[in-house]
Amino acid sequence: EEANTIREDAIDMSPYCKNCSDDSEDNINSKLHCAAELNSMLEKDGFALVRGTGISGNLCDNALRATKTFLHEADESVRRSCLTKDRARRGYSPMATENFASLLGEEGPNDLVKKFRVGPESESSSSSLHQPNAWPSSEVWGDEEAAFFISSIEEYFEQTRLAADYILTAICDGINANNSDHAQSINVLSNQSNNHTSILTLLGYQYGSRHKKGSKGYMRPLVAAHTDVGVITVLLYDSGKCATLQRVADACTADPTTEEWVNINLPAGPYYIDEPVFVVNVGDCLSELTGGSLRSTLHRVMPQLCK
């Protein structure tokens, strides 16, 4: 019942993601409604739930299964074969090696999460945002496992990037319709290009993970309160038993020590049964371009209590 409610409340992006080339009056009106609804939610909370992205449930299930296999079930030597000098953009980042508290100038323990990142590759670009990806090879992993992981993540990355472009177009349309003051500043975001700089990050939380330091270490966030530095984040996760995503209840607050937080829930998979629902949240760049009218909201990941 809760899953159905979440799906019903999620914003339907199909006028942009599935019917982008439909110039009929009905679809134009549907786009206007979609853009207004999305921006209203992002202005209020900095977060929104969306569906109708055109990303299939089977692809989502494969991506989540590939992520679990790589980050949790494979030997650590498989993951460490993907270590790079630029872990913030490519390859494997082991548990407790990143610290998001520092993004806000705070002190705190390193985050209890494993990560793997992929991004766009370009031989003609010298930008650090366009560099080779670090994939596990069949020499350290089995042929079948490596091939499934690479193909699933590459396809998911491409489909999510396209959906993110459409979602961003909807956001820009909503801004242009209601706030001419920011129309010029966000114009650069409306010019979609194949030369994108999107990064896909796979996240792996370990059941039962807790910070040990201090008498209340077990209640410390697995990932400290932070805002995202990019334009928008499009997030899918399986609702497991190890972690809970939270945002601040008051989107205006910049205090990571606040005690008022709201859980962000997604329907549990498998996703081939029903249409996938994604979390969309505003990053610092988009918030800056809109003069703060779209909020880059503090969020964190908390451990679920073990019973």
Side-chain angles (χ1 to χ4, degrees), residues 110-155:
N110 287 354
D111 302 321
L112 294 182
V113 58
K114 301 173 185 177
K115 299 181 182 181
F116 178 82
R117 294 181 173 98
V118 298
E121 298 178 300
S122 175
E123 296 180 357
S124 60
S125 174
S126 60
S127 169
S128 60
L129 296 172
H130 296 95
Q131 57 176 294
N133 288 308
W135 298 106
S137 71
S138 57
E139 295 178 1
V140 293
W141 212 7
D143 290 340
E144 185 175 340
E145 290 87 349
F148 175 74
F149 178 73
I150 295 171
S151 63
S152 298
I153 299 307
E154 282 186 328
E155 184 179 0

Coordinates of all heavy atoms in Angstrom, one line a residue, residues 110-155:
N110 N 35.2 9.3 8.7 CA 35.0 9.0 7.2 C 33.7 8.2 7.0 O 33.3 7.5 7.9 CB 36.2 8.2 6.7 CG 37.4 9.1 6.5 OD1 37.4 10.3 6.7 ND2 38.5 8.5 6.1
D111 N 33.1 8.4 5.8 CA 31.9 7.8 5.5 C 32.0 6.3 5.4 O 32.9 5.7 4.7 CB 31.3 8.4 4.3 CG 31.1 9.9 4.4 OD1 30.8 10.4 5.5 OD2 31.4 10.6 3.4
L112 N 31.0 5.5 5.9 CA 30.9 4.1 5.8 C 30.2 3.6 4.6 O 29.0 3.1 4.7 CB 30.3 3.5 7.1 CG 31.1 3.8 8.4 CD1 30.5 3.1 9.6 CD2 32.6 3.3 8.3
V113 N 30.8 3.8 3.5 CA 30.2 3.3 2.2 C 31.3 3.0 1.2 O 32.3 3.7 1.2 CB 29.2 4.4 1.7 CG1 29.9 5.8 1.5 CG2 28.5 4.0 0.4
K114 N 31.0 2.0 0.4 CA 31.9 1.7 -0.7 C 31.3 2.4 -2.0 O 30.1 2.5 -2.1 CB 32.0 0.2 -1.0 CG 32.5 -0.6 0.2 CD 32.4 -2.1 -0.2 CE 32.8 -3.0 1.0 NZ 32.7 -4.4 0.7
K115 N 32.2 2.9 -2.9 CA 31.7 3.5 -4.1 C 32.5 3.1 -5.3 O 33.6 2.6 -5.2 CB 31.9 5.1 -3.9 CG 31.1 5.7 -2.8 CD 31.3 7.2 -2.7 CE 30.6 7.8 -1.5 NZ 30.7 9.3 -1.5
F116 N 31.8 3.2 -6.4 CA 32.4 2.9 -7.7 C 31.8 4.0 -8.7 O 30.6 4.1 -8.8 CB 32.1 1.5 -8.2 CG 32.7 1.2 -9.6 CD1 34.0 0.8 -9.7 CD2 31.9 1.3 -10.7 CE1 34.6 0.6 -10.9 CE2 32.5 1.0 -12.0 CZ 33.8 0.7 -12.1
R117 N 32.7 4.6 -9.5 CA 32.3 5.7 -10.3 C 32.7 5.5 -11.8 O 33.8 5.0 -12.0 CB 32.9 7.1 -9.8 CG 32.3 7.5 -8.5 CD 33.0 8.9 -8.1 NE 32.4 9.4 -6.9 CZ 32.9 9.3 -5.7 NH1 34.0 8.6 -5.5 NH2 32.3 9.8 -4.6
V118 N 31.8 5.9 -12.7 CA 32.0 5.9 -14.1 C 31.6 7.2 -14.6 O 30.7 7.9 -14.1 CB 31.4 4.7 -14.8 CG1 31.9 3.4 -14.3 CG2 29.9 4.8 -14.7
G119 N 32.2 7.6 -15.8 CA 31.8 8.8 -16.4 C 32.0 8.8 -17.9 O 32.4 7.7 -18.5
P120 N 31.9 9.9 -18.6 CA 32.0 9.9 -20.0 C 33.5 9.8 -20.4 O 34.4 10.4 -19.7 CB 31.5 11.3 -20.4 CG 31.7 12.1 -19.2 CD 31.5 11.2 -18.0
E121 N 33.8 9.1 -21.5 CA 35.1 9.0 -22.0 C 35.2 9.8 -23.3 O 34.3 9.7 -24.2 CB 35.4 7.5 -22.3 CG 35.4 6.7 -21.0 CD 35.7 5.2 -21.2 OE1 34.9 4.6 -22.0 OE2 36.7 4.7 -20.7
S122 N 36.3 10.5 -23.5 CA 36.6 11.3 -24.7 C 38.0 11.4 -25.0 O 38.8 11.8 -24.2 CB 36.0 12.7 -24.6 OG 36.3 13.5 -25.7
E123 N 38.4 10.9 -26.2 CA 39.8 11.0 -26.6 C 40.2 12.4 -27.0 O 41.4 12.7 -26.9 CB 40.1 10.0 -27.8 CG 39.9 8.5 -27.4 CD 40.2 7.7 -28.6 OE1 40.5 8.2 -29.7 OE2 40.1 6.4 -28.5
S124 N 39.3 13.2 -27.3 CA 39.6 14.6 -27.8 C 39.6 15.6 -26.7 O 40.0 16.8 -26.9 CB 38.6 15.0 -28.9 OG 37.3 15.0 -28.4
S125 N 39.2 15.2 -25.5 CA 39.1 16.2 -24.4 C 40.2 16.0 -23.4 O 40.6 14.9 -23.1 CB 37.7 16.0 -23.7 OG 37.7 16.9 -22.5
S126 N 40.7 17.1 -22.9 CA 41.8 17.1 -21.9 C 41.2 17.3 -20.5 O 42.0 17.3 -19.5 CB 42.8 18.1 -22.2 OG 42.2 19.4 -22.2
S127 N 39.9 17.4 -20.4 CA 39.3 17.6 -19.1 C 39.4 16.4 -18.2 O 39.2 15.3 -18.7 CB 37.8 18.0 -19.3 OG 37.1 18.0 -18.1
S128 N 39.5 16.6 -16.9 CA 39.6 15.5 -16.0 C 38.2 14.8 -15.9 O 38.1 13.7 -15.4 CB 40.0 15.9 -14.6 OG 39.1 16.9 -14.1
L129 N 37.1 15.5 -16.4 CA 35.8 14.9 -16.4 C 35.6 14.0 -17.5 O 34.6 13.2 -17.5 CB 34.8 16.0 -16.4 CG 34.8 17.0 -15.2 CD1 33.8 18.1 -15.4 CD2 34.3 16.2 -13.9
H130 N 36.5 14.0 -18.5 CA 36.5 13.0 -19.6 C 37.8 12.2 -19.6 O 38.8 12.7 -20.1 CB 36.3 13.8 -20.9 CG 35.0 14.5 -21.1 ND1 34.9 15.9 -20.8 CD2 33.8 14.1 -21.5 CE1 33.7 16.3 -21.0 NE2 33.0 15.2 -21.4
Q131 N 37.7 11.1 -19.0 CA 38.9 10.2 -18.8 C 38.4 8.8 -18.9 O 37.2 8.5 -18.7 CB 39.6 10.5 -17.5 CG 38.8 10.4 -16.3 CD 39.6 10.6 -15.0 OE1 40.4 9.8 -14.7 NE2 39.2 11.7 -14.3
P132 N 39.4 7.8 -19.1 CA 39.0 6.4 -19.2 C 38.4 5.9 -17.9 O 38.7 6.3 -16.8 CB 40.3 5.7 -19.5 CG 41.2 6.8 -20.1 CD 40.8 8.1 -19.4
N133 N 37.4 5.0 -18.1 CA 36.8 4.3 -16.9 C 37.7 3.1 -16.5 O 38.4 2.6 -17.3 CB 35.4 3.9 -17.2 CG 34.4 5.0 -17.3 OD1 34.4 5.9 -16.4 ND2 33.7 5.1 -18.4
A134 N 37.6 2.8 -15.2 CA 38.4 1.6 -14.7 C 37.5 0.5 -14.4 O 36.8 0.4 -13.4 CB 39.1 2.1 -13.4
W135 N 37.4 -0.5 -15.4 CA 36.5 -1.6 -15.2 C 37.3 -2.8 -14.7 O 38.5 -3.0 -15.0 CB 35.9 -2.0 -16.6 CG 35.0 -0.9 -17.1 CD1 35.3 -0.1 -18.2 CD2 33.7 -0.5 -16.7 NE1 34.2 0.8 -18.4 CE2 33.2 0.5 -17.5 CE3 32.9 -1.0 -15.7 CZ2 32.0 1.1 -17.4 CZ3 31.6 -0.4 -15.5 CH2 31.2 0.6 -16.4
P136 N 36.6 -3.7 -14.0 CA 37.3 -5.0 -13.6 C 37.4 -5.9 -14.8 O 36.6 -5.9 -15.7 CB 36.3 -5.6 -12.6 CG 35.0 -5.0 -13.0 CD 35.3 -3.6 -13.4
S137 N 38.6 -6.5 -14.9 CA 38.8 -7.4 -16.1 C 38.5 -8.9 -15.7 O 38.4 -9.2 -14.6 CB 40.3 -7.3 -16.5 OG 41.1 -7.9 -15.6
S138 N 38.4 -9.7 -16.8 CA 38.2 -11.1 -16.6 C 39.4 -11.8 -15.9 O 39.3 -12.9 -15.5 CB 37.8 -11.8 -17.9 OG 38.8 -11.5 -18.9
E139 N 40.5 -11.1 -15.9 CA 41.7 -11.7 -15.3 C 41.6 -11.8 -13.8 O 42.2 -12.6 -13.2 CB 43.0 -10.9 -15.7 CG 43.3 -10.9 -17.2 CD 44.5 -10.0 -17.5 OE1 45.1 -9.4 -16.6 OE2 44.9 -10.0 -18.7
V140 N 40.9 -10.8 -13.2 CA 40.7 -10.8 -11.7 C 39.3 -11.3 -11.4 O 39.0 -11.6 -10.2 CB 41.0 -9.5 -11.1 CG1 42.4 -9.1 -11.3 CG2 40.1 -8.4 -11.8
W141 N 38.4 -11.3 -12.3 CA 37.0 -11.7 -12.1 C 36.6 -12.7 -13.2 O 37.3 -12.7 -14.3 CB 36.1 -10.5 -12.2 CG 34.9 -10.5 -11.3 CD1 34.6 -11.5 -10.4 CD2 33.8 -9.6 -11.2 NE1 33.4 -11.2 -9.7 CE2 32.9 -10.0 -10.3 CE3 33.5 -8.4 -11.9 CZ2 31.7 -9.3 -9.9 CZ3 32.4 -7.7 -11.6 CH2 31.5 -8.1 -10.6
G142 N 35.6 -13.4 -13.1 CA 35.2 -14.3 -14.2 C 34.7 -13.6 -15.4 O 34.2 -12.4 -15.3
D143 N 34.8 -14.2 -16.5 CA 34.4 -13.6 -17.8 C 32.9 -13.2 -17.7 O 32.5 -12.1 -18.1 CB 34.5 -14.6 -19.0 CG 36.0 -14.8 -19.3 OD1 36.8 -13.9 -18.9 OD2 36.3 -15.8 -20.0
E144 N 32.0 -14.1 -17.3 CA 30.6 -13.8 -17.2 C 30.3 -12.7 -16.3 O 29.5 -11.8 -16.6 CB 29.9 -15.1 -16.8 CG 28.3 -14.9 -16.9 CD 27.6 -16.2 -16.6 OE1 28.3 -17.3 -16.7 OE2 26.4 -16.2 -16.2
E145 N 30.9 -12.7 -15.1 CA 30.6 -11.7 -14.1 C 31.1 -10.3 -14.5 O 30.3 -9.3 -14.4 CB 31.3 -12.0 -12.7 CG 30.7 -13.2 -12.0 CD 31.3 -14.5 -12.5 OE1 32.1 -14.5 -13.5 OE2 31.1 -15.5 -11.8
A146 N 32.3 -10.2 -15.1 CA 32.8 -8.9 -15.6 C 32.0 -8.4 -16.7 O 31.6 -7.2 -16.7 CB 34.3 -9.1 -16.0
A147 N 31.6 -9.3 -17.6 CA 30.8 -8.8 -18.8 C 29.4 -8.3 -18.4 O 28.9 -7.3 -18.9 CB 30.7 -10.0 -19.8
F148 N 28.8 -9.0 -17.4 CA 27.4 -8.6 -17.0 C 27.5 -7.3 -16.2 O 26.7 -6.4 -16.4 CB 26.9 -9.6 -16.0 CG 25.5 -9.2 -15.4 CD1 24.4 -9.2 -16.2 CD2 25.5 -8.9 -14.1 CE1 23.2 -8.8 -15.6 CE2 24.3 -8.4 -13.5 CZ 23.1 -8.4 -14.2
F149 N 28.5 -7.1 -15.4 CA 28.7 -5.9 -14.7 C 28.9 -4.7 -15.6 O 28.2 -3.7 -15.5 CB 29.9 -6.0 -13.7 CG 30.2 -4.7 -12.9 CD1 29.4 -4.3 -11.9 CD2 31.3 -3.9 -13.2 CE1 29.6 -3.1 -11.2 CE2 31.6 -2.8 -12.5 CZ 30.7 -2.4 -11.5
I150 N 29.8 -4.8 -16.5 CA 30.2 -3.7 -17.4 C 29.0 -3.3 -18.3 O 28.6 -2.2 -18.4 CB 31.4 -4.1 -18.3 CG1 32.6 -4.2 -17.4 CG2 31.7 -3.0 -19.3 CD1 33.9 -4.8 -18.1
S151 N 28.3 -4.3 -18.9 CA 27.2 -4.0 -19.8 C 26.1 -3.4 -19.1 O 25.4 -2.5 -19.6 CB 26.8 -5.3 -20.6 OG 26.3 -6.3 -19.7
S152 N 25.8 -3.9 -17.9 CA 24.6 -3.4 -17.1 C 24.8 -2.0 -16.7 O 24.0 -1.1 -16.8 CB 24.4 -4.3 -15.9 OG 24.0 -5.6 -16.3
I153 N 26.0 -1.7 -16.2 CA 26.3 -0.4 -15.7 C 26.5 0.6 -16.8 O 26.0 1.8 -16.7 CB 27.6 -0.4 -14.8 CG1 27.4 -1.3 -13.6 CG2 27.9 1.0 -14.3 CD1 26.1 -1.0 -12.8
E154 N 27.1 0.2 -17.9 CA 27.2 1.1 -19.1 C 25.8 1.5 -19.6 O 25.5 2.7 -19.9 CB 28.0 0.5 -20.2 CG 29.5 0.5 -19.9 CD 30.3 0.0 -21.1 OE1 29.8 -0.9 -21.9 OE2 31.4 0.5 -21.4
E155 N 24.9 0.5 -19.7 CA 23.6 0.8 -20.3 C 22.8 1.7 -19.3 O 22.1 2.6 -19.7 CB 22.8 -0.5 -20.6 CG 21.5 -0.2 -21.2 CD 20.7 -1.5 -21.6 OE1 21.2 -2.6 -21.3 OE2 19.6 -1.4 -22.1

